[in-house]
């Protein structure tokens, strides 16, 4: 495994970081607890030292399972990344900007973006309790909130650093104007954004900005929620309540299928899966600090970690990029 410094901080994160959205269950069709715990343990055993989660994932369940999985382990060797700012219950229900309706037990649950100082302090205490720790390595704004001044949110993050409850502060899904406004109050460690072979928009603006400001980039959805594994094209059925049924419809699936077929000979030659090849390609892109990779069981965790062992030559990178230009 390779470990990389995040922005201007002293945090060293594993290049492949465990993404804990799917084990939360909501929007992903559910997952067995024992498999989720085993997935986390396998990741740690194979050098994935960093875990990214959020209160929204499973409405607290993801954080709780992570807390259970790391109990008794050397906390100093594990980096916990979590978020705040998506509100669905409690005293802050309905505050902020409406985001979307999630689902819990067959019922619609309205979710709001809300990043006020009071809400941040409340959410951090709840996350610390669920994770079973007294500090968070990286706390991130989950989504921008149009109802709260960015300066108020950043001042709260500064206070949490001073209190020792978080080691560093980051954001997710911020554009450049929002990043610049935030930088007037605090030096952010990172911006977590969506990026994949099928979604390379950040290369035009956020990547140059990250280089200029020494801001880390944390990538989510590198596999486009499983589409780039190829399983979707092999009659792998999604559960009816799986959000990916709608999500995949945005892509030209025939072109995606052809892309994966073109990568298959390289993967076979290296005795790896196409999914591992895609993951490794993502870690090699400019300004990308770490890449989030989710898994539902131990086998998937091991495969994700071993992707870092793959050597992709300059010629192979050129070939892959030529194939991507056909999308």
């Amino acid at each position: 495994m390779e470990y990389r410094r995040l922005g201007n901080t002293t945090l060293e994160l594993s290049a492949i970081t465990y993404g804990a959205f799917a084990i939360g269950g909501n929007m992903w069709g559910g997952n067995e607890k024992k498999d989720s715990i085993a997935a986390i343990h396998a990741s740690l055993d194979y050098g994935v030292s960093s875990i990214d989660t959020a209160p929204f994932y499973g409405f607290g369940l993801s954080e709780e399972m992570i807390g259970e999985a790391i109990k008794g382990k050397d906390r100093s060797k594990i980096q916990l990344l979590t978020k705040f700012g998506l509100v669905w219950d409690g005293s802050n229900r309905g505050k902020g900007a409406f985001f979307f309706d999630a689902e819990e037990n067959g019922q619609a649950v309205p979710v709001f973006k809300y990043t006020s100082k009071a809400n941040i302090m409340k959410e951090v205490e709840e996350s610390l309790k669920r994770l079973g720790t007294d500090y968070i390595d990286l706390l991130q704004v989950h989504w921008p909130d149009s109802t709260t001044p960015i300066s108020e949110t950043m001042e709260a993050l500064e206070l949490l650093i001073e209190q020792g409850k978080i080691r560093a502060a980051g954001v997710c899904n911020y554009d450049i104007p929002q990043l610049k406004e935030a930088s007037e109050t605090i030096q952010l460690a990172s911006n977590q954004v969506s990026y994949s072979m099928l979604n390379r928009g950040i290369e035009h603006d956020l990547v140059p900005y990250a280089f200029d400001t020494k801001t880390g980039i944390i990538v989510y959805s590198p596999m486009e929620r499983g589409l780039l594994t190829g399983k979707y094209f092999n009659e792998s059925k999604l559960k009816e309540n799986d959000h990916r049924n709608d999500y995949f419809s945005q892509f030209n699936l025939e072109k995606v299928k052809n892309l994966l077929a073109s990568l298959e000979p390289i993967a076979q030659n290296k005795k790896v899966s196409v999914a591992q090849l895609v993951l490794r390609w993502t870690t090699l892109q400019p300004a990308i600090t770490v890449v989030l990779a989710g898994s539902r069981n131990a086998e998937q965790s091991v495969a994700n970690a071993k992707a870092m062992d793959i050597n992709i030559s300059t010629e192979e990178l050129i070939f892959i990029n030529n194939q991507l230009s056909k999308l």
Side-chain angles (χ1 to χ4, degrees):
M1 182 55 61
E2 181 181 329
Y3 302 92
R4 300 174 177 177
R5 179 167 292 190
L6 186 66
N8 279 312
T9 74
T10 59
L11 282 177
E12 296 277 346
L13 307 183
S14 51
I16 299 293
T17 288
Y18 184 85
F21 191 177
I23 64 169
N26 58 337
M27 300 174 63
W28 290 83
N31 201 51
E32 291 290 335
K33 179 179 177 180
K34 62 179 177 58
D35 292 335
S36 299
I37 298 292
I40 297 169
H41 286 165
S43 293
L44 295 172
D45 290 342
Y46 279 81
V48 175
S49 62
S50 311
I51 303 171
D52 179 89
T53 184
F56 171 69
Y57 301 163
F59 301 118
L61 180 60
S62 177
E63 287 186 328
E64 288 174 359
M65 284 195 289
I66 291 167
E68 183 174 337
I70 68 171
K71 189 174 182 179
K73 296 186 179 295
D74 187 345
R75 176 68 177 84
S76 67
K77 295 182 179 180
I78 299 170
Q79 301 83 49
L80 296 179
L81 290 55
T82 194
K83 310 177 186 78
F84 66 89
L86 290 189
V87 175
W88 69 91
D89 69 351
S91 60
N92 288 325
R93 182 199 295 266
K95 293 182 180 179
F98 176 74
F99 192 11
F100 69 105
D101 283 322
E103 182 185 320
E104 184 178 30
N105 299 323
Q107 300 295 316
V109 179
V111 177
F112 295 79
K113 302 173 187 176
Y114 188 49
T115 62
S116 73
K117 178 180 179 180
N119 183 59
I120 296 170
M121 308 313 274
K122 171 181 176 291
E123 285 202 53
V124 165
E125 294 304 323
E126 292 169 345
S127 289
L128 289 171
K129 183 177 180 180
R130 285 191 289 256
L131 291 166
T133 186
D134 57 2
Y135 70 95
I136 292 162
D137 294 277
L138 177 69
L139 183 66
Q140 306 158 93
V141 180
H142 205 153
W143 283 90
D145 164 25
S146 60
T147 69
T148 302
I150 287 177
S151 60
E152 177 182 337
T153 304
M154 297 304 130
E155 286 167 5
L157 288 170
E158 259 192 331
L159 177 59
L160 287 166
I161 291 174
E162 292 172 5
Q163 293 175 342
K165 292 183 178 180
I166 68 174
R167 292 180 62 192
V171 295
C172 304
N173 308 299
Y174 265 40
D175 59 25
I176 288 180
Q178 290 165 334
L179 289 168
K180 288 181 176 179
E181 186 173 347
S183 70
E184 295 174 5
T185 304
I186 191 173
Q187 184 171 22
L188 292 170
S190 57
N191 187 16
Q192 184 177 140
V193 290
S194 176
Y195 177 73
S196 74
M197 285 183 167
L198 308 181
N199 174 22
R200 301 174 64 184
I202 67 168
E203 294 176 1
H204 304 297
D205 51 9
L206 288 177
V207 165
Y209 181 87
F211 274 124
D212 290 343
T213 60
K214 294 182 172 58
T215 303
I217 293 181
I218 298 174
V219 166
Y220 69 84
S221 292
M223 307 304 300
E224 287 299 350
R225 311 186 192 189
L227 182 61
L228 289 173
T229 66
K231 293 179 182 178
Y232 181 82
F233 301 106
N234 296 322
E235 300 182 0
S236 179
K237 300 294 183 182
L238 298 176
K239 294 183 179 180
E240 189 175 335
N241 64 338
D242 195 312
H243 74 288
R244 291 174 293 177
N245 287 300
D246 292 327
Y247 184 80
F248 289 167
S249 66
Q250 69 181 288
F251 301 108
N252 184 321
L253 296 179
E254 190 61 31
K255 287 187 176 182
V256 175
K257 186 177 182 179
N258 291 338
L259 168 66
L260 297 177
S262 74
L263 300 181
E264 186 65 42
I266 299 176
Q268 288 182 351
N269 182 56
K270 297 179 184 297
K271 296 181 172 57
V272 299
S273 68
V274 170
Q276 288 175 301
L277 185 67
V278 171
L279 196 56
R280 182 60 172 138
W281 175 90
T282 312
T283 69
L284 293 172
Q285 300 315 295
I288 304 303
T289 310
V290 301
V291 177
L292 304 185
S295 63
R296 292 173 178 268
N297 55 54
E299 182 181 3
Q300 292 174 357
S301 290
V302 173
N304 289 342
K306 286 187 173 181
M308 286 302 296
D309 297 333
I310 300 171
N311 178 51
I312 303 178
S313 69
T314 301
E315 292 75 16
E316 289 166 337
L317 282 173
I318 292 172
F319 173 82
I320 292 170
N321 289 334
N322 284 338
Q323 297 306 305
L324 293 178
S325 69
K326 300 175 182 178
L327 292 172

